Coordinates of all heavy atoms in Angstrom, one line a residue:
M99 N 20.3 -70.6 70.3 CA 19.1 -71.4 70.5 C 19.0 -71.6 72.0 O 17.8 -71.6 72.5 CB 19.3 -72.7 69.8 CG 18.0 -73.5 69.8 SD 16.7 -72.5 68.9 CE 15.6 -73.8 68.5
H100 N 20.1 -71.8 72.7 CA 20.0 -72.0 74.2 C 19.4 -70.8 74.9 O 18.6 -70.9 75.8 CB 21.4 -72.4 74.8 CG 21.9 -73.7 74.3 ND1 21.4 -74.9 74.7 CD2 22.9 -74.0 73.4 CE1 22.1 -75.8 74.1 NE2 23.0 -75.3 73.3
Q101 N 19.9 -69.6 74.4 CA 19.4 -68.4 75.0 C 17.9 -68.2 74.8 O 17.1 -67.8 75.7 CB 20.1 -67.2 74.5 CG 19.8 -65.9 75.2 CD 20.1 -65.9 76.6 OE1 21.2 -66.3 77.0 NE2 19.2 -65.4 77.5
Y102 N 17.4 -68.6 73.6 CA 16.0 -68.6 73.3 C 15.2 -69.5 74.2 O 14.1 -69.1 74.7 CB 15.8 -68.9 71.8 CG 14.3 -69.0 71.4 CD1 13.5 -67.9 71.4 CD2 13.7 -70.2 71.1 CE1 12.2 -67.9 71.0 CE2 12.4 -70.3 70.8 CZ 11.6 -69.1 70.7 OH 10.3 -69.2 70.4
M103 N 15.7 -70.7 74.5 CA 15.0 -71.6 75.4 C 15.0 -71.0 76.8 O 14.0 -71.1 77.5 CB 15.7 -73.0 75.3 CG 15.6 -73.6 74.0 SD 16.6 -75.1 73.8 CE 15.9 -76.2 75.1
I104 N 16.1 -70.4 77.2 CA 16.1 -69.8 78.6 C 15.1 -68.7 78.7 O 14.4 -68.5 79.6 CB 17.5 -69.3 78.9 CG1 18.5 -70.5 79.1 CG2 17.6 -68.5 80.2 CD1 19.9 -70.2 79.1
D105 N 15.1 -67.8 77.6 CA 14.1 -66.7 77.6 C 12.7 -67.2 77.6 O 11.8 -66.6 78.2 CB 14.4 -65.8 76.4 CG 15.7 -65.1 76.5 OD1 16.2 -64.9 77.6 OD2 16.2 -64.6 75.4
N106 N 12.4 -68.3 76.9 CA 11.1 -68.9 76.9 C 10.7 -69.4 78.3 O 9.5 -69.1 78.8 CB 11.0 -70.1 75.9 CG 10.6 -69.7 74.5 OD1 10.1 -68.6 74.3 ND2 10.8 -70.5 73.6
Y107 N 11.6 -70.0 79.0 CA 11.3 -70.5 80.3 C 11.1 -69.3 81.2 O 10.1 -69.3 82.0 CB 12.5 -71.3 80.8 CG 12.4 -71.7 82.3 CD1 11.5 -72.7 82.6 CD2 13.1 -71.1 83.2 CE1 11.4 -73.1 84.0 CE2 13.0 -71.4 84.6 CZ 12.1 -72.4 84.9 OH 12.0 -72.8 86.3
R108 N 11.9 -68.3 81.2 CA 11.8 -67.1 82.0 C 10.4 -66.4 81.8 O 9.7 -66.0 82.7 CB 12.9 -66.2 81.7 CG 12.9 -65.0 82.7 CD 14.1 -64.1 82.4 NE 15.4 -64.8 82.5 CZ 16.4 -64.6 81.7 NH1 16.3 -63.8 80.7 NH2 17.5 -65.3 81.8
A109 N 10.0 -66.4 80.5 CA 8.7 -65.7 80.2 C 7.6 -66.6 80.7 O 6.6 -66.0 81.2 CB 8.6 -65.6 78.6
A110 N 7.7 -67.9 80.6 CA 6.6 -68.8 81.2 C 6.5 -68.6 82.7 O 5.4 -68.6 83.2 CB 6.9 -70.2 80.8
V111 N 7.6 -68.5 83.4 CA 7.6 -68.4 84.8 C 7.0 -67.1 85.2 O 6.2 -67.0 86.2 CB 9.0 -68.6 85.4 CG1 9.1 -68.2 86.8 CG2 9.5 -70.0 85.2
R112 N 7.4 -66.0 84.5 CA 7.0 -64.7 84.9 C 5.6 -64.3 84.4 O 5.0 -63.4 84.8 CB 7.9 -63.6 84.4 CG 9.3 -63.7 85.0 CD 10.1 -62.6 84.5 NE 11.5 -62.6 85.1 CZ 12.4 -61.8 84.7 NH1 12.2 -60.9 83.7 NH2 13.6 -61.8 85.2
G113 N 5.1 -65.1 83.4 CA 3.8 -64.8 82.8 C 3.9 -63.7 81.7 O 3.0 -63.1 81.3
D114 N 5.2 -63.5 81.2 CA 5.4 -62.5 80.2 C 5.1 -63.1 78.8 O 4.9 -64.3 78.6 CB 6.9 -62.0 80.2 CG 7.2 -61.2 81.4 OD1 6.2 -60.7 82.1 OD2 8.4 -61.1 81.8
Q115 N 5.2 -62.2 77.8 CA 5.0 -62.6 76.4 C 6.3 -63.4 75.9 O 7.4 -63.0 76.3 CB 4.7 -61.4 75.5 CG 4.4 -61.8 74.1 CD 4.1 -60.5 73.3 OE1 4.3 -59.4 73.7 NE2 3.5 -60.7 72.1
V116 N 6.1 -64.4 75.1 CA 7.2 -65.2 74.6 C 8.0 -64.4 73.6 O 7.4 -63.8 72.7 CB 6.7 -66.5 74.0 CG1 7.8 -67.4 73.5 CG2 5.9 -67.3 75.0
P117 N 9.3 -64.4 73.7 CA 10.1 -63.6 72.7 C 10.0 -64.3 71.3 O 9.7 -65.5 71.2 CB 11.5 -63.7 73.2 CG 11.6 -64.9 74.1 CD 10.2 -65.0 74.6
P118 N 10.2 -63.5 70.2 CA 10.2 -64.1 68.9 C 11.3 -65.1 68.7 O 12.4 -65.0 69.3 CB 10.3 -62.9 68.0 CG 11.0 -61.8 68.8 CD 10.6 -62.1 70.2
Q119 N 11.1 -66.0 67.8 CA 12.1 -67.0 67.5 C 13.3 -66.4 66.8 O 13.2 -65.4 66.1 CB 11.6 -68.1 66.5 CG 10.5 -68.9 67.1 CD 9.9 -69.9 66.1 OE1 10.1 -69.7 64.9 NE2 9.2 -70.9 66.6
P120 N 14.5 -66.9 67.1 CA 15.7 -66.3 66.4 C 15.6 -66.4 64.9 O 15.2 -67.5 64.4 CB 16.9 -67.2 67.0 CG 16.3 -68.2 67.9 CD 14.8 -68.0 67.9
G121 N 16.0 -65.3 64.3 CA 16.0 -65.3 62.8 C 14.7 -65.0 62.2 O 14.6 -64.9 61.0
R122 N 13.6 -64.8 63.0 CA 12.3 -64.6 62.4 C 12.2 -63.3 61.7 O 11.5 -63.2 60.7 CB 11.3 -64.7 63.6 CG 9.9 -64.5 63.1 CD 8.9 -65.5 63.8 NE 7.6 -65.4 63.2 CZ 6.5 -65.2 63.8 NH1 6.6 -65.1 65.1 NH2 5.4 -65.2 63.2
H123 N 12.9 -62.3 62.2 CA 12.7 -60.9 61.6 C 14.0 -60.5 60.9 O 14.2 -59.3 60.7 CB 12.4 -59.9 62.7 CG 11.1 -60.3 63.5 ND1 9.9 -60.1 62.9 CD2 10.9 -60.8 64.7 CE1 8.9 -60.5 63.7 NE2 9.5 -60.9 64.8
D124 N 14.8 -61.4 60.5 CA 16.1 -61.0 59.9 C 15.9 -60.2 58.6 O 16.6 -59.2 58.4 CB 17.0 -62.2 59.6 CG 17.6 -62.8 60.9 OD1 17.4 -62.2 62.0 OD2 18.2 -63.9 60.8
R125 N 15.0 -60.7 57.8 CA 14.8 -60.0 56.5 C 14.3 -58.6 56.7 O 14.7 -57.7 56.0 CB 13.8 -60.8 55.6 CG 14.4 -62.1 55.1 CD 13.3 -62.7 54.2 NE 13.9 -64.0 53.8 CZ 13.2 -64.9 53.1 NH1 11.9 -64.7 52.8 NH2 13.7 -66.0 52.7
Q126 N 13.4 -58.4 57.6 CA 12.9 -57.1 57.9 C 14.0 -56.2 58.4 O 14.1 -55.0 58.0 CB 11.7 -57.2 58.9 CG 11.1 -55.8 59.2 CD 10.0 -56.0 60.2 OE1 9.6 -57.1 60.7 NE2 9.5 -54.9 60.7
V127 N 14.8 -56.7 59.3 CA 15.9 -55.9 59.8 C 16.9 -55.4 58.7 O 17.3 -54.3 58.6 CB 16.6 -56.6 60.9 CG1 17.9 -55.9 61.3 CG2 15.7 -56.8 62.1
I128 N 17.2 -56.4 57.8 CA 18.2 -56.0 56.7 C 17.5 -55.0 55.8 O 18.2 -54.1 55.4 CB 18.5 -57.3 56.0 CG1 19.4 -58.2 56.9 CG2 19.3 -57.0 54.7 CD1 19.7 -59.6 56.4
R129 N 16.3 -55.1 55.5 CA 15.6 -54.2 54.7 C 15.6 -52.8 55.3 O 15.8 -51.8 54.7 CB 14.1 -54.7 54.4 CG 13.4 -53.9 53.4 CD 12.0 -54.4 53.1 NE 12.1 -55.8 52.7 CZ 11.5 -56.8 53.3 NH1 10.8 -56.6 54.4 NH2 11.6 -58.1 52.9
E130 N 15.3 -52.7 56.6 CA 15.3 -51.5 57.3 C 16.7 -50.8 57.4 O 16.8 -49.6 57.4 CB 14.7 -51.7 58.8 CG 13.2 -51.9 58.8 CD 12.7 -52.2 60.1 OE1 13.4 -52.2 61.1 OE2 11.5 -52.5 60.2
I131 N 17.7 -51.6 57.5 CA 19.1 -51.1 57.5 C 19.3 -50.4 56.1 O 19.9 -49.3 56.1 CB 20.1 -52.2 57.8 CG1 20.0 -52.6 59.2 CG2 21.5 -51.7 57.4 CD1 20.9 -53.8 59.6
G132 N 18.9 -51.0 55.1 CA 19.1 -50.4 53.7 C 18.3 -49.1 53.6 O 18.8 -48.1 53.1
E133 N 17.1 -49.1 54.1 CA 16.3 -47.9 54.1 C 16.9 -46.8 54.9 O 16.9 -45.6 54.5 CB 14.9 -48.2 54.6 CG 14.0 -49.0 53.7 CD 12.7 -49.4 54.3 OE1 12.3 -48.8 55.3 OE2 12.0 -50.2 53.7
Y134 N 17.5 -47.1 56.0 CA 18.1 -46.2 56.9 C 19.4 -45.6 56.2 O 19.6 -44.4 56.2 CB 18.5 -46.8 58.2 CG 19.3 -45.9 59.1 CD1 18.6 -44.8 59.8 CD2 20.6 -46.0 59.3 CE1 19.3 -44.0 60.6 CE2 21.3 -45.1 60.2 CZ 20.6 -44.1 60.8 OH 21.3 -43.3 61.6
R135 N 20.1 -46.4 55.5 CA 21.3 -45.9 54.8 C 20.9 -45.0 53.7 O 21.6 -44.0 53.5 CB 22.1 -47.1 54.2 CG 22.9 -47.8 55.3 CD 23.7 -49.0 54.6 NE 24.5 -49.6 55.6 CZ 25.2 -50.7 55.4 NH1 25.2 -51.2 54.2 NH2 25.9 -51.2 56.3
R136 N 19.9 -45.3 52.9 CA 19.4 -44.4 51.9 C 18.9 -43.1 52.4 O 19.2 -42.0 51.9 CB 18.2 -45.1 51.1 CG 18.7 -46.1 50.1 CD 17.6 -46.6 49.2 NE 16.6 -47.4 49.9 CZ 16.7 -48.7 50.1 NH1 17.8 -49.4 49.7 NH2 15.8 -49.4 50.7
F137 N 18.2 -43.2 53.6 CA 17.8 -41.9 54.2 C 19.0 -41.1 54.6 O 19.0 -39.9 54.4 CB 16.9 -42.3 55.4 CG 16.6 -41.1 56.3 CD1 15.7 -40.2 55.9 CD2 17.3 -40.9 57.5 CE1 15.4 -39.1 56.7 CE2 17.1 -39.8 58.3 CZ 16.1 -38.9 57.9
R138 N 20.0 -41.7 55.2 CA 21.2 -40.9 55.6 C 21.9 -40.3 54.4 O 22.3 -39.2 54.5 CB 22.2 -41.8 56.4 CG 21.6 -42.4 57.7 CD 21.5 -41.4 58.7 NE 22.8 -40.9 59.1 CZ 23.0 -39.9 59.9 NH1 22.0 -39.3 60.5 NH2 24.2 -39.5 60.2
R139 N 21.9 -41.0 53.3 CA 22.5 -40.4 52.1 C 21.8 -39.2 51.6 O 22.3 -38.1 51.3 CB 22.6 -41.4 51.0 CG 23.9 -42.1 50.9 CD 23.9 -43.0 49.6 NE 23.9 -44.4 50.0 CZ 23.2 -45.3 49.6 NH1 22.3 -45.1 48.7 NH2 23.3 -46.5 50.1
V140 N 20.4 -39.3 51.6 CA 19.6 -38.1 51.2 C 19.7 -37.0 52.2 O 19.9 -35.8 51.8 CB 18.1 -38.6 51.1 CG1 17.2 -37.4 50.9 CG2 18.0 -39.5 49.9
A141 N 19.7 -37.3 53.5 CA 19.8 -36.2 54.5 C 21.2 -35.5 54.4 O 21.3 -34.4 54.8 CB 19.6 -36.8 55.9
A142 N 22.2 -36.2 54.0 CA 23.6 -35.6 53.9 C 23.8 -35.0 52.5 O 24.9 -34.5 52.2 CB 24.6 -36.7 54.1
C143 N 22.8 -35.0 51.7 CA 22.8 -34.4 50.3 C 23.9 -35.0 49.4 O 24.5 -34.4 48.7 CB 23.1 -32.9 50.4 SG 21.7 -32.0 51.2
R144 N 24.1 -36.3 49.6 CA 25.0 -37.0 48.7 C 24.2 -37.6 47.5 O 23.1 -37.9 47.6 CB 25.6 -38.2 49.5 CG 26.6 -37.8 50.5 CD 27.3 -39.0 51.1 NE 27.3 -38.9 52.5 CZ 27.2 -39.9 53.4 NH1 27.1 -41.1 52.9 NH2 27.1 -39.7 54.6
P145 N 24.9 -37.7 46.4 CA 24.2 -38.2 45.2 C 23.9 -39.7 45.4 O 24.5 -40.4 46.2 CB 25.3 -38.0 44.1 CG 26.6 -37.9 44.8 CD 26.3 -37.3 46.1
A146 N 23.0 -40.1 44.6 CA 22.6 -41.5 44.6 C 23.7 -42.4 44.1 O 24.6 -41.9 43.4 CB 21.4 -41.7 43.6
E147 N 23.7 -43.6 44.5 CA 24.8 -44.6 44.1 C 24.1 -45.8 43.5 O 23.0 -46.1 43.7 CB 25.6 -45.0 45.3 CG 26.3 -43.9 46.0 CD 27.0 -44.3 47.2 OE1 27.0 -45.5 47.5 OE2 27.6 -43.5 47.9
G148 N 24.9 -46.5 42.7 CA 24.5 -47.8 42.2 C 23.6 -47.7 41.0 O 23.8 -46.8 40.1
R149 N 22.6 -48.5 40.9 CA 21.7 -48.6 39.8 C 20.9 -47.4 39.5 O 20.7 -47.0 38.4 CB 20.7 -49.8 40.0 CG 21.3 -51.1 40.1 CD 20.3 -52.2 40.3 NE 19.5 -51.9 41.5 CZ 18.7 -52.8 42.0 NH1 18.5 -54.0 41.5 NH2 18.0 -52.5 43.1
V150 N 20.5 -46.7 40.6 CA 19.7 -45.4 40.4 C 20.6 -44.4 39.7 O 20.1 -43.7 38.7 CB 19.2 -44.9 41.7 CG1 18.5 -43.6 41.6 CG2 18.2 -45.9 42.4
R151 N 21.8 -44.2 40.2 CA 22.7 -43.2 39.6 C 23.0 -43.5 38.1 O 22.9 -42.6 37.2 CB 24.0 -43.1 40.4 CG 24.8 -42.0 39.9 CD 26.0 -41.8 40.7 NE 26.7 -40.6 40.3 CZ 27.6 -39.9 41.1 NH1 27.8 -40.4 42.2 NH2 28.2 -38.9 40.6
R152 N 23.2 -44.8 37.8 CA 23.5 -45.2 36.4 C 22.3 -44.9 35.5 O 22.4 -44.4 34.4 CB 23.9 -46.6 36.3 CG 25.3 -46.9 36.7 CD 25.8 -48.3 36.4 NE 25.0 -49.3 37.0 CZ 25.2 -49.9 38.2 NH1 26.3 -49.5 38.8 NH2 24.4 -50.8 38.6
A153 N 21.1 -45.2 36.0 CA 19.9 -45.0 35.2 C 19.6 -43.5 35.0 O 19.3 -43.1 33.8 CB 18.7 -45.6 35.9
V154 N 19.8 -42.7 36.0 CA 19.7 -41.2 35.8 C 20.7 -40.7 34.8 O 20.4 -39.9 34.0 CB 19.7 -40.5 37.2 CG1 19.7 -39.0 37.0 CG2 18.5 -40.9 38.0
T155 N 21.9 -41.1 35.0 CA 23.0 -40.7 34.1 C 22.7 -41.0 32.6 O 22.9 -40.2 31.7 CB 24.4 -41.3 34.5 OG1 24.6 -41.0 35.9 CG2 25.5 -40.8 33.7
R156 N 22.2 -42.3 32.4 CA 21.9 -42.7 31.1 C 20.8 -41.8 30.5 O 20.8 -41.5 29.3 CB 21.4 -44.1 31.1 CG 22.1 -45.0 30.2 CD 21.6 -46.5 30.2 NE 22.0 -47.1 31.5 CZ 21.1 -47.7 32.3 NH1 19.8 -47.9 31.9 NH2 21.4 -48.3 33.4
L157 N 19.8 -41.4 31.3 CA 18.7 -40.6 30.8 C 19.2 -39.2 30.5 O 18.7 -38.5 29.5 CB 17.6 -40.5 31.8 CG 16.8 -41.8 32.0 CD1 15.8 -41.6 33.2 CD2 16.0 -42.1 30.7
L158 N 20.1 -38.6 31.3 CA 20.5 -37.2 31.1 C 21.6 -37.0 30.1 O 21.7 -35.9 29.5 CB 20.9 -36.7 32.5 CG 19.8 -36.6 33.5 CD1 20.4 -36.1 34.8 CD2 18.7 -35.8 33.1
R159 N 22.4 -38.0 29.8 CA 23.5 -37.8 28.8 C 23.0 -38.1 27.4 O 22.3 -39.1 27.1 CB 24.6 -38.8 29.1 CG 25.5 -38.5 30.2 CD 26.7 -39.4 30.2 NE 27.5 -39.2 31.4 CZ 28.3 -40.0 31.9 NH1 28.5 -41.2 31.3 NH2 29.0 -39.7 33.0
P160 N 23.3 -37.2 26.5 CA 22.9 -37.4 25.1 C 23.7 -38.5 24.5 O 24.9 -38.7 24.8 CB 23.2 -36.1 24.4 CG 24.2 -35.4 25.3 CD 24.0 -35.9 26.7
R161 N 23.0 -39.3 23.7 CA 23.7 -40.4 23.1 C 24.4 -39.9 21.8 O 23.8 -39.1 21.1 CB 22.7 -41.6 22.7 CG 22.2 -42.2 23.9 CD 21.2 -43.3 23.5 NE 20.7 -43.9 24.7 CZ 19.8 -44.9 24.6 NH1 19.4 -45.4 23.5 NH2 19.3 -45.4 25.8
P162 N 25.6 -40.5 21.5 CA 26.2 -40.1 20.2 C 25.4 -40.6 19.0 O 24.8 -41.6 19.1 CB 27.6 -40.8 20.3 CG 27.5 -41.8 21.3 CD 26.4 -41.4 22.2
A163 N 25.4 -39.8 18.0 CA 24.6 -40.1 16.8 C 25.3 -41.3 16.1 O 26.5 -41.4 15.9 CB 24.6 -38.9 15.8
R164 N 24.4 -42.2 15.6 CA 24.9 -43.4 14.8 C 25.1 -43.0 13.4 O 24.4 -42.2 12.8 CB 23.9 -44.5 14.9 CG 23.8 -45.1 16.3 CD 22.9 -46.3 16.2 NE 23.0 -47.0 17.5 CZ 22.3 -48.1 17.7 NH1 21.5 -48.6 16.8 NH2 22.4 -48.7 18.9
R165 N 26.1 -43.6 12.7 CA 26.3 -43.3 11.3 C 25.8 -44.4 10.5 O 25.6 -45.5 10.7 CB 27.8 -43.2 11.1 CG 28.4 -42.0 11.8 CD 29.8 -41.9 11.5 NE 30.4 -40.8 12.3 CZ 31.6 -40.3 12.1 NH1 32.3 -40.8 11.2 NH2 32.0 -39.4 12.9

């Protein structure tokens, strides 16, 4: 918070644009990190992981017949 206040003061003195508040873009950054990881997996030709892989496996495996 102190650094944010210092940056605000510096921007006001210089006439620059005020920096964004701390934590304002955290959700967007976390979402973009997840997208980047998924992209890296696809680029490295690795199979899907987690929910997607389980769903595809369920669709492709034949179910045993019920008696």
Side-chain angles (χ1 to χ4, degrees):
M99 191 61 160
H100 294 288
Q101 185 62 45
Y102 175 68
M103 293 170 63
I104 293 169
D105 291 340
N106 270 345
Y107 173 75
R108 188 178 303 140
V111 169
R112 293 182 182 173
D114 294 340
Q115 188 177 12
V116 178
Q119 293 177 344
R122 180 141 188 229
H123 301 288
D124 287 353
R125 289 182 183 173
Q126 181 181 356
V127 169
I128 291 170
R129 190 177 303 120
E130 288 176 2
I131 289 171
E133 290 175 8
Y134 178 73
R135 286 181 176 174
R136 282 191 290 276
F137 169 76
R138 296 291 293 175
R139 265 189 246 129
V140 170
C143 297
R144 287 189 231 146
E147 296 178 4
R149 295 184 301 193
V150 174
R151 186 172 188 164
R152 282 192 300 269
V154 170
T155 303
R156 234 181 293 129
L157 288 173
L158 296 179
R159 282 189 188 162
R161 294 182 181 178
R164 290 185 173 181
R165 293 182 186 191

